[in-house]
Amino acid sequence: MDSGALSFRVMDENDTFQVQCAGEWTVRHVESVDSALKEIKSRRVAGREAVLNLAEVVRLDTAGAWMIQRTAAQLEAQGFKVRIDGLTLAQQALLDAIEHSFATVEMHPDEGPWYIALLERMGATVRQIGNNIYDQLAFFGLVIATLGRAIRNPSRLRLVPLVHHMEKAGLDALPIVALMTFLIGAVIAQQGAVQLQKLGAEVYTVNLVAIVFLREVGLLLTAIIVAGRSGSAFTAEIGSMKMREEVDAMRTLGLDPIEMLVVPRVLALVITLPLLTFIGDVVGLVGGGVAVWAMLDTTPDAYLVQLREASGFWTFGVGLLKAPFMALVIAMIGCRAGLNVTGSAESVGRQTTSSVVQSIFMVIVLDAAFAIFFTGVGI
Amino acid sequence: MGGQDDFIIQVRGLNNSFGGHVVHENLSLDVKRGEIIGIVGGSGTGKSVLLRSIVGLQQPQSGDLTVFGQRLKDLSELERQAVEQRWGILFQDGALFSALSVAENVQVAFREHLSMKPSLMDELTGLKIRMVGLDEGACSKYPSELSGGMRKRAGLARALALDPEIVFLDEPTAGLDPIGAHGFDMLIKDLQRALGLTVFMVTHDLDTLSTVCDRIAVLADNRVVLVGTMDDMLQSNHPWVREYFHGPRARAARSIR
Ligand SMILES: Nc1ncnc2c1ncn2[C@@H]1O[C@H](COP(=O)(O)OP(=O)(O)O)[C@@H](O)[C@H]1O
Ligand SMILES: [Mg+2]
């Protein structure tokens, strides 16, 4: 039995049973003898003495010492009287310092077969979704109640944070919203014109742009940009405050975190998202105008005239009416995810991801619901 | 072994500055093999910077650092990695990897530097965890679920994973209750005795200094102004040292003992 830097030899003669250990018994090397050591046994045990001889061990560290102790314990369990020999003083001290319990610890909880684990995860996820919906509704109610109190008693409205968040979530988002809506407006007009030209109906391109953009795309695009930009920022801001116990500190000082942190953000988004949508709509129509001018030679004058014929007040109104509701959903999901942060920085990351995914999903679900509703009432 | 070899760490002429702000100027310090040395000094005197310079987390402007008799500057990348495996570091508050459980934190070094069967790795991890006085139940917990004292113990278990010859500790007892701090002191002392460790410890804790440190080094005026035993400290005439070791808190700590 020899493997590189360390080795042991079992001598099983008439009256001696000896395990001779040699070499470097350190964490780097012990693995090579781990299983061989476990297999040491003897046919004749009864009352014999087993000697572990360490005289040739050149280095010993905790891992090596632990393995020696484990072997001693194992021989004792077989009925030997065990003696450890040839130790230096330092090695003796080390052996004494290592405790003598060798119970294997369960460090990686047993998850059972994979199909059970799969079912378990599915169940847990479904339950979590249920809880999530319930909690979100409860939070919704709480914020609305706080908002109601703040409106009845306007001195409780925090104006400075409100304006601050309006600037960050609204004004600062303008360039990206304008750029995106302009491009998408132009793309819709260009693609629409190509398809309608095949039918000889290219005059309807303007109608297409007006209806699609004002009713749906302008708002959806803006809401999704805002969800990605501001919803995530809300989660991260509130989440890191929660992590550093600032939110708890607020509570102990008699400040309501909902009133201080959530209400200004919700209000800011409810005010700015319709404004952003309005600007997005206008810029999108300009984009569409540029595209039809380039492709179909429709002059801006003619474009405006046709636009006025194609869209009534409600084409525009439907899109704008949905905006505050979208804002409410985005801000509430963002803020609640922030307040759900626990302990670690990793949890901030996880909550931010989930907040963005949830709010974009909810924006689209809400849009579908509104589409059914508006069709139902006939506008 | 004699002469120079008795010093496991030698710092010579260390200079550190940030922008125009000088932190160390021609600082020298020797640490003996097998001792526990405590580094004290006011806040911002560069104790952490000294520690970080020695372990290579920070590049000093100039100066010679010799550890295990090897000049760190002269080492190749590979030799340097070999040296780094011979020391362990406990950061303030543990610096455990938050995405990993305590057991996985301890196993990081096993996985990275050794090829070892998972079962043996688990057994050795259990040994380290018990050695630093943690309950085995803590193995599967995540750092965010632990108290400050437990995080420090887990951090120490991680630092000790590869049986280093030197451990560096940055304010190990800061933020612990007196019982926890005393327990941690004793743990360090016991481990040092049993494993023959050299301990380089930055601390403000007067109790730690007097109960576990063999020698104390005082950082002031951008350098080490005094190295010696607790008695040397008490007899010193350096104004800061006097104030530190004869101040009301020092007297209180002594009178309790
Ligand atoms: N990365 C850095 N950049 C700039 N200044 C630093 C940096 N690290 C430390 N310092 C400065 O060096 C000084 C010493 O810091 P430190 O060693 O952390 O003090 P302490 O003795 O309290 O541990 C402080 O004044 C600090 O401002
Ligand atoms: Mg420090």
Side-chain angles (χ1 to χ4, degrees), chain B residues 206-207 241-256:
Chain B
L206 285 157
D207 291 317
V241 178
R242 274 198 74 77
E243 193 171 342
Y244 192 90
F245 289 96
H246 291 278
R249 301 187 126 221
R251 273 200 301 279
R254 266 199 308 281
S255 68
I256 291 171

Side-chain angles (χ1 to χ4, degrees), chain A residues 28 31 62 99 107-108, chain B residues 115-117 122 128 163:
Chain A
R28 271 158 226 287
E31 155 137 59
T62 47
E99 32 74 28
M107 255 172 253
H108 311 284
Chain B
S115 63
M116 198 184 265
K117 282 195 304 268
D122 283 356
K128 301 285 172 190
D163 268 287

Side-chain angles (χ1 to χ4, degrees), chain B residues 51-60 65 72 80 84 87:
Chain B
L51 191 156
R52 292 168 62 87
S53 302
I54 297 174
V55 298
L57 290 170
Q58 189 144 356
Q59 193 61 44
L65 298 163
L72 296 184
R80 180 154 185 107
E84 279 171 2
W87 65 52

Side-chain angles (χ1 to χ4, degrees), chain A residues 219-235:
Chain A
L219 169 72
L220 270 182
L221 208 56
T222 314
I224 288 173
I225 293 170
V226 167
R229 231 185 134 266
S230 306
S232 61
F234 290 175
T235 310

